[in-house]
Amino acid sequence: MNVPASVPNWSVPDVFEPDGTEELPPELTSNADSSPASLTVESPGGSKQRDLGNGAAVSGSGPTAGGVERRVGKGSGAAKSTGTATAGNRTDVEPADLSTLLSVAVEAVGGSERDGQTAMAEAVDNAIASGEHLAVQAGTGTGKSLAYLVPAIRHAVTAHTTVVVSTATIALQRQLVDRDLPRLADALADSLGRRPTFAILKGRRNYLCLNRIHGNAPDEPDEGALFDAFAASSLEREVRRVHDWASDTETGDRDELVPGVSERAWRQVSVTGNECLGAHRCPVGSDCFAEQARNEAGRADIVVTNHALLAIDALDDRPVLPEHDMVVVDEAHDLVDRVTTAAGGELSGNAIKQAARKCGRAVEEEIADRLNEAGEGLEFVLGETEPGRLGEPSRQLAAALSGLRDAAAACVNALGPEQREDVESGSARKLALAPTQEIQDTAIRLLDAFEEPEQDRRDVIWISAENNRPPSLKVAPLGVGGLLRERLFGQRTTVLTSATLALGGSFDTLASQWGLPPQREARPATDTATAQEPTSDESEPSWVGLDVGSPFDYPRSGILYVARHLPKPGRDGLPDAYLDELTELVTAAGGRTLGLFSSMRAARQASEQLRERLSTPVLCQGEDSTSQLVDSFAKDPATSLFGTLSLWQGVDVPGQSLQLVVMDRIPFPRPDDPLASARQQAISARGGNGFITVAGTHAALLLAQGAGRLLRSAGDRGVIAILDPRLSTARYGGFLRASLPPFWNTESPDVVRGALRRLDEAAG
Ligand code: SF4
């Protein structure tokens, strides 16, 4: 992706017109139709004209800009559609071709055709036909969900198969199931010969368990409620509310319970896949919500799920998703993190003691007590050990783990295999067996990993003590590329898409984390944690990368400002110079600022300081629910909102309430982050650039996601301000900047403040 050094041949904008002393800013008019006087500017290289055509760019070439259309389906009030899948009625009608279907679909959602969307739909169709995997970067406004759903639906209907669409966030899952798919199903029915069907499928824990509601299984032991009368009564109230809801709900889906209930209350009324009795044994199996969702998914053309379930389906020998021959991974930039979490394990004193209490209901007291003591032993050792990554375990830790493994094994043996028992005993046995088996498996995994020298391990082990929680022992795979290559790409055609996939202008960095080979022969392989696995045999999955750009005209709509004159960020909070800079920027913008900070500490410090200095309101994450804060921010243009990670990816505020995005520092992972540091070292040990491959990739993804908050609709204009000067001065700065959309660049505080003031005045 290219960041233009200057913007030739632009028109001097009305609201953004600089005075004679300023470096020329881009056209940031609030009305794209305004016709300001025209001015031609030479770029440093002497070329005069930028060329932003509408054609799609294959792999690594810069994004394209073109006419911006209304985003697909915006504002639809389509009805809830979970459960729309009906028995797989197949059609004998020859379905219309892709371009006809796409036109029908676009017209139905009130949009107009876009080149990037068409290019993406054709590429997805080609991937289906050729079996070659596809990675496609599609910027905001492309209408990418339509671009993959239309060919996926056509394929499912014509090949009598199911396509799985996986998302990272609930927000996108809802958009697909509540808005995009119902509209598409209606619009495409005639052209396909029948109405396509779709369903949503989540992990079993997300559905109400009727067996528990009917009182056939014991309650979860809850330590908080055991000693605290207030906690006990609030838990009781929540569980009672779920019971009332159980008789009304048609899906049993936790996300439909409004307001929601706490995690500990939900645990009382749900089970994991391993805790479930099995529909054949369960007395209410025929009415089970999770089973209904599975059955419905099995009959649907499109099944929407999340990355966690996709990962479990890949990891587990028992499939949890219905038979399918194609997967679309949307929000694919999050895939590696989600799969890493799903493939990880954790041991904590509390979880072990809970499992022991469950075992106490089904096995001899002495055996359950042994597990409880082993949990206390591990808890003590973890409390005595410094949090962080573990190379060699201490003698005490190794002994505590061996004791735990044996105590868990004794419980598992005592619980025994499935028997001819009554439902209550069977439920109690299952509820005890599932967590105890997991404890045993995790203890064995850890002990096995400790047997190997650290540099040869495929697992990273660390003690975590985040947010003042009691310490726990965690394990996660060093890389998930091998798993994905074998269990995802090796099984079915996969399309990966996101607004951010080409980091530093290339797909290869993320591709190597997914276990895919480099795209082009000429390009040296990007060495990652997964590169230790062989990648050059004939069985390598082949794939294509495609960047369809964005209909947004980035260089004319946004400025990337790097505060090069500021000092490097330090460890002791935000320096005064940062707070001064922030104050001036927010003042010039008249509020309208989303502050994305690398820590909550920095976000709070900035909020407190700026409230004293500014006349406009500042909200800080944590002061209310995030959705409420974003709502208040969107409603009042003078208001600014400061926060950390969840705001980097989750804010969608089009219009004049958001014209400035400030980031305090390049969001590298913490140097003591156990997984990131282990991955970095593994790559460096093999001669690769561990810092860029791991820390650089992490930062590039977050920077691009954060910058993506600025332009959300065609008329949006504004500034991305990075206070960290290393984006300009450090060697890796070029890689990071090339991962961002091609905004117009400046390092001049005067230019950027002038631009913000003009935007503020224009907004009124
Ligand atoms: S089948 Fe499993 S999840 Fe469904 S009601 Fe029975 S125990 Fe609960």
Side-chain angles (χ1 to χ4, degrees):
M1 194 176 294
N2 303 315
V3 179
S6 67
V7 183
N9 200 27
W10 63 36
S11 301
V12 175
D14 47 2
V15 294
F16 225 48
E17 188 169 1
D19 63 31
T21 62
E22 292 175 351
E23 185 187 339
L24 275 171
E27 184 179 52
L28 290 181
T29 57
S30 55
N31 178 354
D33 292 333
S34 62
S35 312
S38 145
L39 177 70
T40 302
V41 181
E42 295 277 345
S43 73
S47 76
K48 278 182 128 185
Q49 184 66 50
R50 72 197 167 99
D51 180 8
L52 297 171
N54 281 342
V58 173
S59 174
S61 27
T64 57
V68 178
E69 306 297 337
R70 194 159 69 79
R71 289 193 298 136
V72 177
K74 180 111 181 145
S76 159
K80 188 84 191 160
S81 298
T82 308
T84 50
T86 53
N89 46 342
R90 303 305 184 192
T91 175
D92 294 327
V93 174
E94 181 63 29
D97 63 28
L98 177 70
S99 90
T100 307
L101 289 177
L102 192 60
S103 301
V104 170
V106 169
E107 199 184 318
V109 300
S112 56
E113 292 191 30
R114 283 158 271 189
D115 290 349
Q117 188 180 53
T118 306
M120 179 170 170
E122 284 169 359
V124 173
D125 207 42
N126 284 340
I128 293 168
S130 66
E132 200 168 43
H133 308 297
L134 172 70
V136 53
Q137 175 165 285
T140 313
T142 305
K144 70 174 159 33
S145 59
L146 229 67
Y148 62 71
L149 285 174
V150 171
I153 288 172
R154 186 175 189 277
H155 171 60
V157 170
T158 51
H160 310 312
T161 185
T162 297
V163 173
V164 167
V165 176
S166 179
T167 76
T169 61
I170 289 176
L172 180 56
Q173 210 168 71
R174 287 202 167 135
Q175 180 201 308
L176 293 174
V177 174
D178 295 351
R179 201 178 72 181
D180 296 347
L181 280 163
R183 289 169 162 202
L184 278 180
D186 289 341
L188 300 180
D190 286 346
S191 312
L192 290 170
R194 70 167 171 84
R195 190 175 194 275
T197 57
F198 59 92
I200 186 165
L201 189 61
K202 305 174 183 181
R204 194 165 290 256
R205 181 57 108 192
N206 293 278
Y207 300 94
L208 199 61
C209 169
L210 288 175
N211 191 44
R212 298 201 84 157
I213 291 288
H214 286 268
N216 295 332
D219 288 344
E220 292 286 303
D222 187 281
E223 204 158 64
L226 225 50
F227 304 108
D228 180 345
F230 179 75
S233 72
S234 95
L235 178 66
E236 210 176 287
R237 274 198 307 276
E238 285 190 308
V239 172
R240 213 176 309 130
R241 191 152 61 79
V242 180
H243 276 253
D244 292 343
W245 175 71
S247 48
D248 294 336
T249 176
E250 285 180 10
T251 63
D253 182 342
R254 181 180 180 180
D255 287 331
E256 290 180 20
L257 174 62
V258 181
V261 292
S262 64
E263 189 53 40
R264 64 200 187 109
W266 189 255
R267 271 205 308 269
Q268 302 284 355
V269 295
S270 63
V271 291
T272 63
N274 287 335
E275 291 167 345
C276 167
L277 266 184
H280 61 290
R281 288 200 63 209
C282 176
V284 283
S286 54
D287 296 324
C288 170
F289 291 121
E291 291 297 321
Q292 277 174 15
R294 266 177 73 96
N295 292 339
E296 206 167 285
R299 295 190 299 265
D301 297 311
I302 302 290
V303 172
V304 178
T305 189
N306 53 46
H307 293 353
L309 204 62
L310 186 72
I312 290 165
D313 190 63
L315 284 163
D316 212 322
D317 290 331
R318 293 167 303 169
V320 291
L321 293 172
E323 189 70 28
H324 57 286
D325 72 350
M326 186 197 170
V327 177
V328 178
V329 182
D330 202 339
E331 300 178 311
H333 58 272
D334 261 344
L335 182 67
V336 167
D337 278 356
R338 303 295 167 114
V339 175
T340 300
T341 304
E346 180 171 7
L347 290 175
S348 72
N350 198 28
I352 296 163
K353 285 184 269 178
Q354 288 239 17
R357 278 200 286 278
K358 290 179 186 176
C359 288
R361 295 166 176 154
V363 303
E364 283 173 33
E365 202 180 318
E366 200 182 315
I367 300 176
D369 282 352
R370 197 174 143 202
L371 181 60
N372 192 53
E373 279 162 25
E376 285 176 350
L378 182 72
E379 197 172 37
F380 176 79
V381 176
L382 294 182
E384 297 288 298
T385 316
E386 195 64 31
R389 224 167 94 208
L390 284 176
E392 295 305 309
S394 64
R395 270 211 346 263
Q396 292 90 329
L397 180 58
L401 276 175
S402 303
L404 178 63
R405 174 197 57 199
D406 298 343
C411 283
V412 168
N413 282 338
L415 287 163
E418 192 176 305
Q419 299 150 11
R420 287 187 175 278
E421 58 206 337
D422 61 48
V423 171
E424 281 182 41
S425 319
S427 301
R429 197 179 64 80
K430 272 282 192 174
L431 286 174
L433 185 61
T436 312
Q437 183 75 67
E438 209 174 303
I439 289 165
Q440 187 192 358
D441 292 347
T442 307
I444 292 172
R445 177 177 174 180
L446 286 161
L447 286 164
D448 285 353
F450 280 134
E451 292 276 301
E452 299 220 41
E454 197 182 357
Q455 67 273 15
D456 296 338
R457 279 183 209 156
R458 288 182 166 252
D459 272 337
V460 183
I461 302 167
W462 72 99
I463 295 176
S464 166
E466 286 157 12
N467 305 326
N468 296 328
R469 289 207 197 106
S472 67
L473 191 55
K474 292 192 174 180
V475 57
L478 188 60
V480 294
L483 169 77
L484 289 172
R485 190 172 61 229
E486 188 188 325
R487 308 298 289 260
L488 181 65
F489 301 112
Q491 306 290 322
R492 43 193 65 94
T493 308
T494 304
V495 171
L496 303 118
T497 186
S498 166
T500 316
L501 291 183
L503 300 180
S506 163
F507 289 93
D508 284 352
T509 308
L510 280 181
S512 57
Q513 293 188 0
W514 298 328
L516 293 173
Q519 194 183 9
R520 281 171 290 196
E521 294 289 333
R523 188 186 298 276
T526 309
D527 195 1
T528 76
T530 61
Q532 62 191 1
E533 295 146 318
T535 57
S536 58
D537 59 67
E538 285 182 0
S539 62
E540 276 182 347
S542 71
W543 65 282
V544 172
L546 176 74
D547 183 353
V548 298
S550 163
F552 292 172
D553 189 350
Y554 283 103
R556 298 171 75 85
S557 305
I559 295 176
L560 172 64
Y561 163 61
V562 182
R564 189 187 178 114
H565 61 283
L566 289 180
K568 283 189 209 164
R571 288 176 173 222
D572 305 319
L574 295 172
D576 283 345
Y578 279 43
L579 293 165
D580 294 343
E581 181 80 25
L582 191 55
T583 305
E584 299 208 19
L585 288 169
V586 180
T587 303
R592 311 174 197 281
T593 303
L594 179 66
L596 301 176
F597 293 86
S598 48
S599 69
M600 262 325 288
R601 187 170 153 226
R604 281 196 208 102
Q605 184 192 357
S607 306
E608 282 161 21
Q609 291 282 321
L610 264 71
R611 277 174 189 148
E612 288 175 13
R613 300 172 181 208
L614 295 172
S615 56
T616 51
V618 176
L619 303 173
C620 186
Q621 197 178 355
E623 292 170 345
D624 202 337
S625 74
T626 302
S627 59
Q628 191 57 51
L629 289 170
V630 173
D631 216 37
S632 306
F633 170 64
K635 279 185 185 140
D636 177 23
T639 295
S640 298
L641 173 60
F642 294 175
T644 182
L645 208 61
S646 59
L647 297 186
W648 284 78
Q649 304 196 42
V651 175
D652 185 5
V653 178
Q656 294 170 343
S657 286
L658 204 178
Q659 293 185 331
L660 171 62
V661 175
V662 182
M663 302 184 211
D664 66 330
R665 64 194 296 161
I666 298 169
F668 290 122
R670 289 166 50 118
D672 58 357
D673 180 290
L675 254 181
S677 62
R679 287 173 169 172
Q680 215 165 298
Q681 279 171 15
I683 292 161
S684 301
R686 294 192 302 279
N689 187 336
F691 176 74
I692 279 293
T693 309
V694 178
T697 300
H698 179 274
L701 274 175
L702 270 178
L703 275 177
Q705 292 291 315
R709 301 309 100 210
L710 183 68
L711 306 181
R712 306 301 298 174
S713 67
D716 287 355
R717 304 285 184 269
V719 170
I720 303 287
I722 314 275
L723 304 186
D724 187 336
R726 294 175 297 174
L727 196 66
S728 282
T729 56
R731 278 210 348 239
Y732 51 74
F735 170 80
L736 297 176
R737 292 167 82 119
S739 306
L740 293 171
F743 297 111
W744 187 83
N745 286 261
T746 186
E747 292 172 351
S748 162
D750 291 337
V751 167
V752 86
R753 288 199 291 259
L756 286 168
R757 273 193 293 272
R758 284 188 290 278
L759 277 178
D760 180 38
E761 283 158 20

